[in-house]
Amino acid sequence: MDSKKFVMSYSGGKDCMLAMHRKIKEGWTPVALITTVKKDSVNSWTHSISKRLLNEASKSLNIPIIYVECEMKDYEAKFEEKLLEAKKMGATTVIYGDIDIELHKKWDVDRATNAGLDYELPLWQGDREAIVHEFIDSGFKAVIKKVNLENMSEDFLGKVLDKPLIEEIKKTGSDACGENGEYHTFVVDGPLFNTPIELDVLGKTVSNGYGTLDVK
C-alpha cells in the first residue's frame, strides 16, 4: 500500500485537482500538497492565490500543505528540498497536472528524480478540451483567478468554469484548458472537498500584462 502514497504538486487550479481526483479514484492516498509561494509574499507563484485560501483548501480537502517559499533563483532547489519532507511523510510518488508541454514534463521529472521519488502525470497527452470537460462533469467548481491580457480580457475574472464559458474562452483564440497560460483557476468546491471555500471578492488588479481577481 505504501507505493500508493503521493504528494500532489498543487497550484490550486483545475488540472492538478483533476489529476489528484483520478489518482484517488484509483485507490491512491495523498499525504500532502506542495505549493510554491513567492518569498516575502503571501501569494503563490503563477496563480497568485493567498496562503489563507490555500490553507482553507488544505483544510477542506483534509490534506496537509507544504509551502515552498522561494525566489526564482532557488525555485528548483527549494522545491526538491520540500519534496524530501513529503518523502518523510510516506510519499513515494509526485503527481503533476501538466498535460502536454514537454518542457514542463522535463521539469517535473527532474525534480522528482533528484528527490528520489517516482512521478506520474495522469493527464499527460490527454485532449485538452476533454480534460476540462471531465473536470466540470466531475462536479468541481473553479473560479478564473488570473488571465493573460494578451489572450483574454479581465471580464473573465471571477467567472465559474462551465461548458458555455469554455466556448467563450475558445472564441478569444485561447486554449480551452488554458494550458498555454491564457488563464489560471482556483478550485473552490467539488467531490474532494468537505466544505466549499468562500471567496470574498475585493476587485480586480491589472499589472504586468495580467489581470488578477483580488480575493481574501
Side-chain angles (χ1 to χ4, degrees), residues 84-155:
L84 295 176
E85 268 186 39
K87 199 173 175 181
K88 283 179 190 163
M89 294 165 76
T92 60
T93 306
V94 194
I95 304 295
Y96 298 98
D98 291 299
I99 299 170
D100 58 17
I101 296 175
E102 287 291 346
L103 210 62
H104 291 182
K105 183 182 181 181
K106 184 183 184 320
W107 192 96
D108 297 342
V109 171
D110 289 349
R111 300 294 75 74
T113 305
N114 290 349
L117 289 160
D118 293 329
Y119 56 86
E120 277 197 32
L121 291 80
L123 311 184
W124 190 249
Q125 299 293 12
D127 177 82
R128 291 179 178 187
E129 196 164 342
I131 283 169
V132 74
H133 282 183
E134 181 188 339
F135 172 84
I136 292 162
D137 290 340
S138 296
F140 286 105
K141 181 181 173 186
V143 173
I144 294 183
K145 178 73 174 65
K146 195 172 178 179
V147 293
N148 185 332
L149 295 170
E150 280 186 18
N151 307 104
M152 290 164 60
S153 79
E154 61 195 91
D155 296 340

Side-chain angles (χ1 to χ4, degrees), residues 18-134:
L18 181 60
M20 179 161 68
H21 185 50
R22 282 191 185 178
K23 294 315 292 179
I24 289 171
K25 282 201 297 185
E26 286 174 19
W28 287 58
T29 304
V31 298
L33 310 169
I34 186 166
T35 304
T36 55
V37 177
K38 290 181 185 178
K39 198 171 183 205
D40 305 321
S41 166
V42 293
N43 288 335
S44 66
W45 282 96
T46 316
H47 288 59
S48 302
I49 299 166
S50 72
K51 267 189 176 179
R52 189 196 76 77
L53 289 174
L54 292 166
N55 285 338
E56 288 282 320
S58 164
K59 189 177 164 189
S60 182
L61 293 164
N62 198 26
I63 307 168
I65 191 164
I66 297 170
Y67 288 112
V68 183
E69 297 196 10
C70 57
E71 300 171 73
M72 214 58 226
K73 62 181 181 184
D74 62 0
Y75 194 101
E76 295 177 350
K78 293 283 185 190
F79 195 87
E80 288 170 18
E81 211 176 273
K82 293 295 184 178
L83 281 181
L84 295 176
E85 268 186 39
K87 199 173 175 181
K88 283 179 190 163
M89 294 165 76
T92 60
T93 306
V94 194
I95 304 295
Y96 298 98
D98 291 299
I99 299 170
D100 58 17
I101 296 175
E102 287 291 346
L103 210 62
H104 291 182
K105 183 182 181 181
K106 184 183 184 320
W107 192 96
D108 297 342
V109 171
D110 289 349
R111 300 294 75 74
T113 305
N114 290 349
L117 289 160
D118 293 329
Y119 56 86
E120 277 197 32
L121 291 80
L123 311 184
W124 190 249
Q125 299 293 12
D127 177 82
R128 291 179 178 187
E129 196 164 342
I131 283 169
V132 74
H133 282 183
E134 181 188 339

Side-chain angles (χ1 to χ4, degrees), residues 14-15 18 21 128-142 160-167 169 176-177 183 185 187 189-191:
K14 60 180 174 43
D15 300 335
L18 181 60
H21 185 50
R128 291 179 178 187
E129 196 164 342
I131 283 169
V132 74
H133 282 183
E134 181 188 339
F135 172 84
I136 292 162
D137 290 340
S138 296
F140 286 105
K141 181 181 173 186
V160 174
L161 221 51
D162 59 15
K163 288 180 183 175
L165 186 63
I166 297 299
E167 292 307 309
I169 288 169
C177 210
Y183 72 94
T185 57
V187 185
D189 199 10

